[in-house]
Structures are given as C-alpha cells and as structure tokens.
C-alpha cells in the first residue's frame, strides 16, 4: 500500500499532467518505474514486494553524461534508503547532479571561449606586457624564466590545512596556498617555490589564479591555469574576483583519491581557496570590472 501511494504521488509530480517538468515518469509495470531525466538520462527503479519497509528498490541508471560518476551515484542512492519511501529523493538527487554537470560543461565552454579571446588579445598586443591602463592583460603561468633564482622576487607563501572532501577516496586531499604578488616575476617565483616541494609537485593538479596591477603600466594582470583540471582555473579566478582580492596568487593542489567527485570538486576548490584568502586578509568585497 505504501509503494502504491508513493507511485501515485510520483505520478502527480512527474506524470503527463505535470506540465514542463524536467523529469518524466513512465510506468512499465507496478514493479518497474522509469524516470526520464532530460534528453539522455534514464533511471529505472525495480520495486520489490516488501518495499519500502524491508527491502530497497533496485536502481539502474543510464546516464552517459555522468561517465564513471554514475556507478558512485547508484551507491549513493542505495545509502539513502532507511526503510521508508525513497524514490522521490533518488530522482531529485539525480536531477540536481545532472543540472550541475550541465552547468559545469557550460562554464568550461565559457572559460575556454574567454581564454581564446584573451590569448588572441595577448597575441595582438605582443611583444611585451603592454595595454591601456585599467585593461586586463593575460600571460601564461608556466614561463617562469630566471625569476626562481633571483632573491629579489622572493615572497612569503602561506599554505592552508589539508582538506578531505566528503564522499571522496581515502587519498583525496586539497590544499590552498596564497602569497602577495605585484609582478610576474613574483608569480613565477611562487610557482617554482611550491613545485620544489616534492609532495606538491606530485599532486594530480596544481591549479593557479592570480591578480595584480602592474606598477609600471597600470595594467591589471589577471590570469589562471587549470593544470589539466578543466574549468578549475577559471573557478579560482572567479573566487579572487568575488572576494575582491588583489595583488595575490592562489594555488590549490589536489591529490586525486580514486573517486570522481563530479561538479562538487569545483565547489571544494573554491571553498579552500576562499577560506585561505579570507584568513590571510585578502578579501575586500567584490570590486567589479577589470
């Protein structure tokens, strides 16, 4: 009776009369419920006779967009079962996860487009670091030159505590590092200094963003590097901007723990960076503009 009542409620929410709902329910049989989430994701729910009091339904998820994350999500669904109706919670969790994936893909595409525009602008203004006052100017992070060997560019680098994201693998760790910088030579020195640490150098990704105003030209230098973690550099740059931080470089090292975190990783990356920026007094409120 409880399962029948739950199905009736699900029909009211996701059935044919639900208008433009992003989820659609199809009832293959009283014991097989199928939910279409968007264009290419389907959750099949096989309901046993003694559900919900004694046994959980069996979820089968078809979601190419989620990749390896799909199997971990199925495990997460089963963890939600506590001897009561659970299918609505399953559907909503998956809907939110798929929405987050779509937003992350859109953010990655936007960041890639912005990077292309910035690189084209940098090429157009080459050689050197020229530009009109108040304009953003982009340079690549990895060209460190001779700065690492020059004590004139040495600055104090502060590292935050290791952070272990929830529901991640046992080795998953993120750690933020910040320093005050006012020129590219200091940016290069900080990166070389951090990468001289074998543990940091061995991280899966060392994501970077920095912002400062060049004293000689009045040009704001504002750039990032995701080090293979697509979209993370742009997320760090957005964190710097949202916090109103200037004359700073922030690096987040990530050691992958074997469990794919999906879009949640961007939240954790921004969180550890933002927390250290606040702790070290870099946050002045969003300033807006370049």
């Amino acid at each position: 009776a409880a399962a029948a009542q739950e199905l009736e409620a699900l029909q009211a929410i996701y059935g044919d009369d639900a208008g433009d709902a992003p989820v659609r329910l199809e009832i293959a049989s009283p014991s097989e419920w199928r939910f279409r989430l968007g264009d290419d994701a389907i959750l099949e729910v096989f309901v046993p006779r003694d559900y919900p009091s004694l046994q959980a339904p069996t979820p089968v998820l078809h979601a190419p967009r989620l990749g390896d994350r799909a199997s971990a999500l199925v495990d997460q669904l089963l963890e939600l079962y506590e001897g009561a109706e659970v299918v609505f919670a399953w559907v909503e969790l998956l809907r939110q996860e798929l929405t987050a994936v779509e937003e992350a893909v859109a953010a990655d595409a936007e960041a890639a487009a912005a990077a292309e525009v910035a690189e084209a602008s940098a090429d157009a203004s080459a050689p050197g670091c020229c530009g009109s006052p108040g304009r953003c100017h982009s340079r690549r992070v990895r060209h460190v030159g001779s700065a690492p060997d020059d004590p004139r560019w040495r600055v104090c680098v502060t590292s935050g505590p290791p952070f272990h994201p929830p529901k991640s693998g046992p080795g998953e760790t993120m750690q933020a590092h910040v320093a005050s910088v006012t020129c590219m030579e200091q940016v290069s020195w900080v990166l070389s200094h951090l990468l001289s640490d074998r543990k940091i150098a061995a991280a899966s990704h060392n994501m970077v963003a920095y912002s400062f105003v060049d004293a000689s030209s009045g040009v704001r230098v504002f750039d990032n590097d995701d080090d293979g973690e697509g979209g993370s550099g742009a997320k760090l740059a957005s964190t710097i901007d949202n916090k109103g931080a200037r004359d700073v470089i922030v690096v987040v090292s990530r050691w992958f723990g074997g469990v794919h975190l999906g879009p949640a990783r961007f939240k954790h990356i921004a969180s550890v960076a933002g927390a250290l920026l606040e702790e070290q007094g870099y946050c002045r409120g969003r300033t807006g503009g370049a």
Side-chain angles (χ1 to χ4, degrees):
Q5 291 176 357
E6 182 181 22
L7 180 57
E8 184 178 348
L10 291 169
Q11 283 181 293
I13 300 169
Y14 305 122
D16 293 336
D17 297 331
D20 296 327
V23 179
R24 285 296 180 185
L25 168 62
E26 300 173 358
I27 304 172
S29 73
S31 60
E32 182 180 349
W33 310 344
R34 185 179 297 118
F35 298 87
R36 294 189 177 273
L37 300 99
D39 296 329
D40 63 348
I42 297 175
L43 172 66
E44 292 181 293
V45 178
F46 296 91
V47 183
R49 289 185 177 182
D50 49 5
Y51 170 76
S53 59
L54 298 178
Q55 188 176 349
T58 299
V60 177
L61 178 60
H62 310 274
R65 275 181 290 168
L66 296 177
D68 294 339
R69 173 71 175 144
S71 59
L73 270 174
V74 169
D75 292 339
Q76 190 174 342
L77 296 182
L78 291 171
E79 290 174 1
L80 293 176
Y81 173 70
E82 297 180 342
E85 295 88 341
V86 74
V87 177
F88 174 75
W90 285 3
V91 173
E92 286 302 296
L93 186 150
L94 291 175
R95 183 183 63 80
Q96 293 169 13
E97 184 75 17
L98 288 164
T99 298
V101 169
E102 290 175 356
E103 291 175 351
V105 169
D108 287 351
E110 184 177 344
E116 289 183 6
V117 172
E119 190 131 341
S121 176
D123 291 342
S125 61
C129 181
C130 57
S132 57
R135 296 287 299 278
C136 287
H137 182 70
S138 175
R139 284 199 272 185
R140 298 304 302 162
V141 173
R142 298 306 183 194
H143 299 166
V144 296
S146 61
D149 301 323
D150 194 328
R152 291 179 299 167
W153 313 124
R154 184 177 294 124
V155 294
C156 179
V157 180
T158 301
S159 297
F163 169 71
H164 304 284
K167 299 179 181 178
S168 63
E172 180 77 36
T173 305
M174 296 182 185
Q175 185 178 31
H177 322 272
V178 300
S180 296
V181 295
T182 57
C183 62
M184 280 302 302
E185 289 80 5
Q186 289 177 338
V187 168
S188 298
W189 186 92
V190 170
L191 293 174
S192 179
H193 170 74
L194 288 171
L195 294 174
S196 69
D197 184 307
R198 290 185 178 181
K199 181 179 179 182
I200 294 175
S204 307
H205 309 283
N206 285 296
M207 302 150 278
V208 182
Y210 55 86
S211 173
F212 63 87
V213 177
D214 184 80
S216 62
S217 64
V219 172
R220 183 189 180 194
V221 183
F222 186 39
D223 202 3
N224 66 85
D225 188 332
D226 57 32
D227 194 28
E229 181 72 287
S232 60
K235 187 68 175 179
L236 282 179
S238 176
T239 301
I240 287 178
D241 216 27
N242 290 338
K243 297 290 186 181
R246 295 293 174 93
D247 297 336
V248 66
I249 178 172
V250 58
V251 179
V252 174
S253 303
R254 180 191 179 191
W255 292 267
F256 179 58
V259 175
H260 292 278
L261 301 180
R265 69 190 187 278
F266 296 111
K267 178 183 71 174
H268 299 318
I269 290 166
S271 177
V272 296
L276 191 57
L277 286 169
E278 291 183 2
E279 177 187 302
Q280 295 300 310
Y282 286 102
C283 302
R284 307 169 189 170
R286 185 165 188 171
T287 56

